Amino acid sequence: MIGGLSVLMTSSPVPSNPSTEFLEICMDSFNNVPGLKDCPLVFCLDGFTDTENKYETKFKSCRISPEEAVRYQQYKHNVKHLLTSRIGLKIEDLKPIEPKFHGWCDPNAQVLKAVNGHLQVTVIEFNLRCGFALAVKQGLDYIETEFVLVQQHDWQIKEHCDFEPLLNVMRRHPVSYIGFISKTSKDYCWRLTTSRGVIESVPKEFDGITLAPLFFWYDKTHLASVKHYKEFVFGRPRFKRGDFIEDTMGILMLEEIKVGGMTAHEPYQSYLYYPEQGQQVMLRHINGRRFGNKVKYLDQIENRTAREKTHFDWEQEGLNLLD
């Protein structure tokens, strides 16, 4: 367990429903961070819009067909089973609790909680589509610690990382967001020097930890101050149903910093953990579309022998599931 830290995860319909395999890959990667798997977990299951087979499916917009909706309902049940089993309990141990929000996003959202000693999980199940931004906003009402790890269901922590020193930096300095390097943000500072209209990001040392000023609010895995999220990010009406933070505030943030420089960056207090001069990739994306293809392949090989299934090579079949 990491003192002062909770985990806030979000999930929504994906092609691989009802399988939880990609989610298990995500959560298994918590083992790369000492104590993370024992932190209190708040898990948000977004709602969806039923296309009624009149419109094309768009998973990013949570717009799915009736058949996909059935699979998503099965997925939600499987997620509850997975989350409770990871803290040594059964799905029946999830008990309804009184909602802390007033239903402004989804008046019929259900909140369930299970506790086993110091281990606990809270599940918020939305019936209406909220989107990532509003799901995080409502999920924060159930975070009781000073800091939160915001974790989307399709990102993996691929390298060992000790969060304690990072949280200490956040306690002692005006740092309220710490993101982690993925394949697309490797060499972040160098890439900015080649981008037109963007000021230079110069890495800084905070108590022996190297952080680079981050000029974009990424939704992918990050540590954050709960107070900063509630007062700065959600302190005024920025988001509507279906929004992602990075697609709205993130873009506005970048434009403000292009004009105002580091002065404009100050209120965001956002930094990128920058070990090995930006060379160490800490995050890896789990490709949900490829997992969807895997489900189709499973249907195709259903009649194969057990031996054939055991030796089925996903990568050879063109199904490398990690980006």
Side-chain angles (χ1 to χ4, degrees):
M1 191 171 179
I2 304 172
L5 181 68
S6 296
V7 179
L8 173 56
M9 292 191 69
T10 63
S11 191
S12 56
V14 291
S16 62
N17 296 151
S19 170
T20 60
E21 184 178 356
F22 80 101
L23 181 59
E24 292 173 52
I25 290 176
C26 168
M27 297 188 71
D28 285 347
S29 76
F30 288 3
N31 290 321
N32 284 323
V33 181
L36 183 60
K37 65 182 180 63
D38 294 331
C39 289
L41 171 64
V42 175
F43 198 101
C44 298
L45 286 161
D46 204 358
F48 59 89
T49 301
D50 193 333
T51 67
E52 299 179 349
N53 288 325
K54 296 178 181 179
Y55 308 100
E56 179 185 0
T57 291
K58 288 189 176 181
F59 284 102
K60 185 173 183 180
S61 302
C62 294
R63 195 171 73 188
I64 57 178
S65 70
E67 295 77 12
E68 289 158 343
V70 170
R71 291 197 290 272
Y72 184 52
Q73 295 294 349
Q74 295 171 340
Y75 167 76
K76 291 195 288 185
H77 176 84
N78 294 342
V79 167
K80 294 171 190 174
H81 174 76
L82 173 67
L83 298 180
T84 51
S85 66
R86 284 183 172 244
I87 63 170
L89 296 176
K90 298 180 180 180
I91 192 171
E92 293 79 15
D93 294 312
L94 278 170
K95 305 298 183 183
I97 63 173
E98 188 70 24
K100 294 183 179 180
F101 47 82
H102 300 291
W104 55 269
C105 183
D106 183 353
N108 297 313
Q110 184 182 33
V111 186
L112 305 168
K113 187 171 184 177
V115 179
N116 186 9
H118 70 280
L119 303 175
Q120 62 181 46
V121 58
T122 302
V123 178
I124 305 174
E125 186 175 352
F126 299 107
N127 295 293
L128 300 177
R129 181 201 174 207
C130 292
F132 176 78
L134 296 185
V136 169
K137 178 178 172 64
Q138 297 212 217
L140 286 172
D141 287 337
Y142 296 87
I143 299 294
E144 299 176 349
T145 52
E146 183 180 4
F147 301 106
V148 63
L149 177 75
V150 178
Q151 175 74 37
Q152 294 175 315
H153 64 183
D154 55 354
W155 284 93
Q156 178 188 37
I157 302 171
K158 66 182 290 288
E159 299 292 342
H160 175 86
C161 185
D162 187 355
F163 281 0
E164 292 281 9
L166 301 179
L167 296 178
N168 286 333
V169 166
M170 297 175 76
R171 292 183 178 102
R172 299 168 183 165
H173 302 275
V175 176
S176 295
Y177 171 114
I178 296 179
F180 300 92
I181 295 173
S182 65
K183 183 170 64 174
T184 56
S185 55
K186 184 179 179 182
D187 287 323
Y188 176 77
C189 295
W190 177 83
R191 291 187 186 195
L192 282 185
T193 62
T194 63
S195 300
R196 294 182 178 180
V198 183
I199 65 172
E200 183 179 4
S201 176
V202 180
K204 301 180 181 180
E205 291 288 321
F206 294 87
D207 303 333
I209 302 294
T210 304
L211 303 176
L214 185 60
F215 302 149
F216 188 81
W217 193 284
Y218 288 101
D219 290 337
K220 60 190 173 187
T221 309
H222 59 274
L223 292 168
S225 158
V226 173
K227 180 180 179 182
H228 189 68
Y229 244 120
K230 288 183 174 181
E231 295 182 358
F232 179 75
V233 178
F234 296 123
R236 55 190 174 96
R238 300 177 187 264
F239 310 102
K240 63 182 184 299
R241 190 181 301 277
D243 279 352
F244 288 82
I245 299 173
E246 62 184 22
D247 291 342
T248 48
M249 189 187 82
I251 293 174
L252 176 63
M253 170 185 178
L254 181 60
E255 293 305 314
E256 288 179 353
I257 293 171
K258 284 181 179 180
V259 175
M262 288 303 296
T263 300
H265 172 262
E266 286 179 5
Y268 290 95
Q269 300 183 6
S270 53
Y271 290 82
L272 183 66
Y273 181 46
Y274 214 67
E276 299 182 9
Q277 298 180 326
Q279 296 299 304
Q280 186 175 6
V281 175
M282 304 293 296
L283 303 178
R284 179 161 51 196
H285 185 244
I286 307 168
N287 194 306
R289 185 175 297 277
R290 293 176 190 167
F291 266 94
N293 290 337
K294 177 177 178 178
V295 171
K296 293 179 182 178
Y297 268 71
L298 284 171
D299 291 339
Q300 294 173 18
I301 68 170
E302 186 62 33
N303 295 323
R304 297 189 184 191
T305 66
R307 179 177 176 80
E308 287 175 326
K309 292 179 184 179
T310 300
H311 292 85
F312 190 75
D313 190 332
W314 296 108
E315 292 194 15
Q316 183 176 329
E317 295 287 340
L319 288 173
N320 183 10
L321 304 178
L322 301 174
D323 287 339

